[in-house]
């Protein structure tokens, strides 16, 4: 076990030495201080576990010093030493947060006893705090379903980056949970008591975006009858979520870049900048690197926001999460609709597992909400699943897409028929063997998988 460090503050150097010897022989590490300044420095510099403070110091009184120590670290217990006959001040010290007090002259064994006791208690409180932290962490992420390996890795990463103050760049197709993750990062951070302000850069008209973001002074433009705070200032002390940042007009990108560099905003019509303390999280479903290459997105802004990337996989790449997401949504809508539904039939589940989910988790959520609203029984049957999503399935494909789909299916059928015999398959299709192999390669089909 690590040796605990104890800070002893007294202006009597003899007494300091006596206490040091006593504590060191009891296997404590001792740091001594003879003034308030030395004491505060020591607490800031060293990992102090407890402090012993004389009530009557020459320059300050021990109670003020104790309060200043607590301001730096409220978790360090303070034991007060007081001269005989000043019991009132000792009681006052207790009232203001001292752990205990001893009257001089004191018995060294008594001091040790109190120190041991305080240490024990401190260990308990820090353990309780640690457990509370774990609970909180769990709570923040409890609404995120992440059974697949891919999502587990992402959550592990997210719980680490939450505690930093770095800019996070979330990329993922529509409906993959970008905003959900952004909120979890905020709740898992030191800023969780502060605001979480989300802005959809694609949804606000270009001419309003600037006043929305930076605010304006009274009279800055017609209609500005009083000044208004922008979203940057509203998010002060918290997190600003710039959603769909890939859709931000170029003219605004340079202004945002300046804010991110200087951490200051200029409200419209205002000459003086306003300081802002915000953590930035951005999200996009676009390939922003490509947008940079096509000159739709500023490269310098890209580098500024692309600090910690988080890539959310589409639902079709984490289908093992589907059953758990279904349970989660059944629960959620069950509560909301005050309806008890036990689950879905195996056929319904199969339908969900086979679907491609272009709208990702949001599409699955809507599917379950619809089925839940419609069902007359307490198990959802397949006829209530995906019947409303026909447009996305029947959406007209390009000729190229349709042709490759046909080719792939045709080849799979041939391989099934010939049980993976390529000579037979190429003969049946009227293709040369070499050409046939080329086709198999194109679609990543392996004949050996069709052998029975
Ligand atoms: N892993 C998950 N667990 C539980 N719910 C999820 C998960 N991922 C997404 N969702 C839910 O799916 C819906 C869509 O998520 P969200 O709005 O965060 O997606 P998005 O990526 O921001 O979408 P868009 O690009 O369309 O804005 C939300 O209701 C969210 O709660
Ligand atoms: Mg979103």
């Amino acid at each position: 076990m690590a040796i605990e460090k104890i800070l002893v503050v007294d202006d009597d150097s003899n007494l300091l030495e006596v206490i040091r010897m006593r504590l060191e022989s009891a296997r404590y590490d001792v740091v001594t201080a003879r003034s308030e300044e030395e004491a505060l420095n020591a607490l800031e510099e060293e990992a102090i576990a407890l402090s012993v403070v004389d009530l009557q110091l020459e320059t300050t009184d021990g109670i003020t010093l104790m309060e200043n120590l607590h301001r730096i670290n409220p978790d360090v217990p303070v034991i007060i030493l007081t001269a005989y006959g000043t019991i009132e001040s000792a009681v006052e010290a207790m009232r203001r947060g001292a752990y205990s007090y001893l009257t001089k002259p004191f018995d060294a064994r008594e001091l040790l006893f109190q120190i041991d006791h305080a240490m024990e208690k401190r260990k308990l409180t820090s353990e309780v705090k640690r457990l509370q932290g774990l609970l909180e962490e769990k709570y923040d992420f409890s609404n995120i379903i992440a059974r697949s390996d891919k999502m587990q890795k992402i959550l592990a990463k997210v719980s680490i980056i939450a505690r930093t103050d770095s800019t996070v760049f979330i990329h993922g197709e529509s409906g993959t949970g970008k905003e959900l993750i952004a909120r979890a990062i905020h709740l898992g951070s030191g800023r969780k008591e502060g605001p979480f302000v989300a802005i959809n850069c694609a949804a606000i008209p270009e001419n309003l975006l600037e006043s929305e973001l930076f605010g304006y002074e009274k009279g800055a433009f017609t209609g500005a009858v009083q000044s208004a705070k922008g979203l940057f200032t509203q998010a002060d002390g918290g997190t600003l979520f710039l959603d769909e940042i890939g859709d931000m007009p170029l003219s605004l990108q340079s202004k945002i870049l300046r804010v991110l560099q200087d951490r200051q905003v200029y409200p419209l019509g205002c000459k003086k900048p306003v300081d802002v303390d915000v953590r930035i999280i951005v999200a996009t479903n676009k390939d922003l690197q490509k947008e940079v290459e096509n000159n739709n997105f500023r490269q310098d802004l890209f580098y500024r926001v692309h600090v910690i990337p988080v890539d959310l996989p589409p639902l079709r790449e984490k289908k093992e999460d589907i059953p758990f997401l279904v349970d989660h949504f059944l629960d959620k809508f069950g509560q909301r609709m005050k309806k008890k539904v036990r689950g879905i039939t195996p056929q319904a589940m199969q339908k969900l597992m086979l679907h491609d989910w272009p709208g990702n988790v949001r599409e699955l959520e809507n599917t379950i909400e619809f089925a839940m609203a419609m069902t007359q029984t307490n198990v959802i049957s397949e006829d209530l699943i995906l019947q409303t999503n026909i447009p996305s399935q029947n959406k007209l494909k390009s000729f190229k897409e349709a042709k490759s789909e046909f080719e792939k299916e045709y080849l799979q059928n041939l391989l099934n028929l010939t049980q993976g015999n390529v000579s037979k398959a190429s003969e049946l299709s009227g293709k040369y063997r070499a050409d046939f192999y080329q086709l198999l390669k194109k679609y990543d089909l392996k004949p050996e998988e069709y052998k029975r």
Side-chain angles (χ1 to χ4, degrees):
M1 211 184 85
I3 298 176
E4 306 271 27
K5 235 177 229 178
I6 296 179
L7 170 68
V8 187
V9 194
D10 203 321
D11 45 14
D12 177 348
S13 16
N14 289 332
L15 190 72
L16 276 183
E17 266 332 287
V18 173
I19 297 181
R20 177 204 289 284
M21 270 161 34
R22 284 299 187 157
L23 296 187
E24 282 181 353
S25 65
R27 307 186 56 76
Y28 283 113
D29 214 355
V30 176
V31 179
T32 58
R34 299 204 304 172
S35 67
E36 166 156 32
E37 200 192 341
E38 280 182 42
L40 295 176
N41 278 343
L43 192 67
E44 279 185 323
E45 238 72 84
E46 317 237 17
I48 302 291
L50 176 147
S51 47
V52 179
V53 173
D54 187 4
L55 203 54
Q56 283 93 29
L57 292 166
E58 252 165 39
T59 46
T60 37
D61 71 287
I63 294 185
T64 314
L65 172 58
M66 173 184 80
E67 288 183 329
N68 288 337
L69 290 172
H70 273 158
R71 217 161 278 144
I72 297 174
N73 187 348
D75 294 333
V76 173
V78 176
I79 296 176
I80 293 285
L81 302 181
T82 158
Y84 180 73
T86 52
I87 284 293
E88 292 91 335
S89 17
V91 171
E92 173 67 359
M94 293 289 286
R95 207 178 56 77
R96 298 232 221 143
Y99 176 77
S100 62
Y101 70 90
L102 285 171
T103 33
K104 290 191 206 171
F106 55 85
D107 187 335
R109 272 172 309 180
E110 178 63 12
L111 176 62
L112 267 175
F113 174 75
Q114 295 213 3
I115 289 178
D116 290 341
H117 207 259
M119 292 295 198
E120 225 16 75
K121 194 168 160 209
R122 184 170 173 270
K123 252 184 244 147
L124 262 180
T125 358
S126 68
E127 178 64 9
V128 169
K129 275 202 176 155
R130 195 183 67 84
L131 288 175
Q132 273 171 345
L134 283 181
L135 280 181
E136 262 175 34
E137 218 164 274
K138 201 151 169 239
Y139 178 73
D140 291 342
F141 293 104
S142 68
N143 58 341
I144 303 178
I145 305 301
R147 284 301 180 102
S148 52
D149 255 16
K150 279 186 178 154
M151 284 305 286
Q152 285 280 316
K153 284 195 184 120
I154 287 174
L155 274 206
K157 183 173 176 184
V158 159
S159 71
I160 295 170
I161 53 191
R163 278 170 251 144
T164 73
D165 223 17
S166 311
T167 301
V168 182
F169 180 94
I170 306 175
H171 176 259
E173 287 178 15
S174 173
T176 47
K178 296 187 290 294
E179 180 155 356
L180 185 70
I181 293 289
R183 284 180 189 276
I185 291 175
H186 171 71
L187 288 176
S189 78
R191 296 173 173 269
K192 70 164 182 240
E193 307 293 342
F196 177 90
V197 176
I199 175 166
N200 186 336
C201 304
I204 300 182
E206 183 167 352
N207 57 338
L208 287 186
L209 202 46
E210 193 174 347
S211 59
E212 279 289 318
L213 280 175
F214 308 134
Y216 51 83
E217 282 279 272
K218 183 177 169 182
F221 48 85
T222 340
V225 284
Q226 63 193 52
S227 42
K229 270 188 176 179
L231 293 168
F232 263 99
T233 348
Q234 280 174 36
D236 198 34
T239 305
L240 182 65
F241 178 50
L242 297 172
D243 203 1
E244 317 281 3
I245 196 169
D247 296 291
M248 181 178 281
L250 270 169
S251 58
L252 202 67
Q253 287 177 24
S254 50
K255 292 190 176 126
I256 287 277
L257 178 68
R258 216 174 66 191
V259 178
L260 298 190
Q261 273 164 352
D262 305 344
R263 301 279 156 175
Q264 287 183 331
V265 292
Y266 287 85
L268 286 180
C270 187
K271 297 264 169 342
K272 270 197 315 214
V274 181
D275 287 339
V276 284
D277 165 34
V278 291
R279 193 231 187 122
I280 307 283
I281 302 180
V282 308
T284 183
N285 51 22
K286 291 192 169 169
D287 180 346
L288 215 52
Q289 193 103 48
K290 223 183 226 137
E291 296 298 308
V292 170
E293 281 160 26
N294 297 336
N295 294 322
N296 293 325
F297 201 84
R298 291 180 64 114
Q299 181 154 38
D300 42 11
L301 181 58
F302 175 76
Y303 286 127
R304 180 60 65 167
V305 295
H306 197 265
V307 181
I308 302 183
V310 174
D311 242 309
L312 296 181
L315 185 54
R316 63 183 171 280
E317 286 177 18
K318 49 164 192 177
K319 283 194 169 173
E320 60 269 46
D321 278 357
I322 291 178
F324 301 97
L325 283 162
V326 169
D327 279 349
H328 173 70
F329 292 136
L330 285 177
D331 232 37
K332 175 172 164 185
F333 294 118
Q335 282 175 20
R336 199 175 291 172
M337 298 178 194
K338 302 212 172 8
K339 218 168 169 176
K340 270 230 171 343
V341 171
R342 275 198 296 119
I344 70 176
T345 63
Q347 292 81 354
M349 185 57 85
Q350 193 179 7
K351 224 166 159 183
L352 295 178
M353 293 301 278
L354 288 174
H355 187 58
D356 211 36
W357 302 110
N360 295 298
V361 183
R362 179 178 294 111
E363 186 189 356
L364 176 61
E365 184 171 5
N366 293 343
T367 303
I368 299 298
E369 182 174 5
F370 172 83
M372 187 95 183
M374 299 301 287
T375 188
Q376 303 291 332
T377 55
N378 67 359
V379 176
I380 291 173
S381 60
E382 67 180 300
D383 54 308
L384 288 177
I385 294 290
L386 290 168
Q387 49 164 228
T388 53
N389 299 45
I390 294 159
S392 75
Q393 280 179 322
N394 269 16
K395 136 179 141 249
L396 195 62
K397 292 170 185 132
S398 70
F399 180 75
K400 203 176 146 199
E401 238 181 308
K403 183 173 163 244
S404 7
E405 259 174 40
F406 168 80
E407 276 188 2
K408 185 170 179 186
E409 209 187 350
Y410 175 79
L411 293 168
Q412 283 170 325
N413 285 340
L414 266 179
L415 289 172
N416 260 325
L417 196 69
T418 59
Q419 301 193 10
N421 183 327
V422 177
S423 309
K424 261 196 208 151
S426 58
E427 200 182 309
L428 278 172
S429 63
K431 283 248 166 215
Y432 289 116
R433 256 176 78 101
D435 294 344
F436 196 83
Y437 267 117
Q438 278 298 317
L439 280 170
L440 292 184
K441 209 171 141 204
K442 177 172 168 195
Y443 294 109
D444 199 23
L445 296 171
K446 306 204 167 52
E448 60 273 18
E449 283 171 10
Y450 295 83
K451 296 220 157 69
R452 266 162 293 179

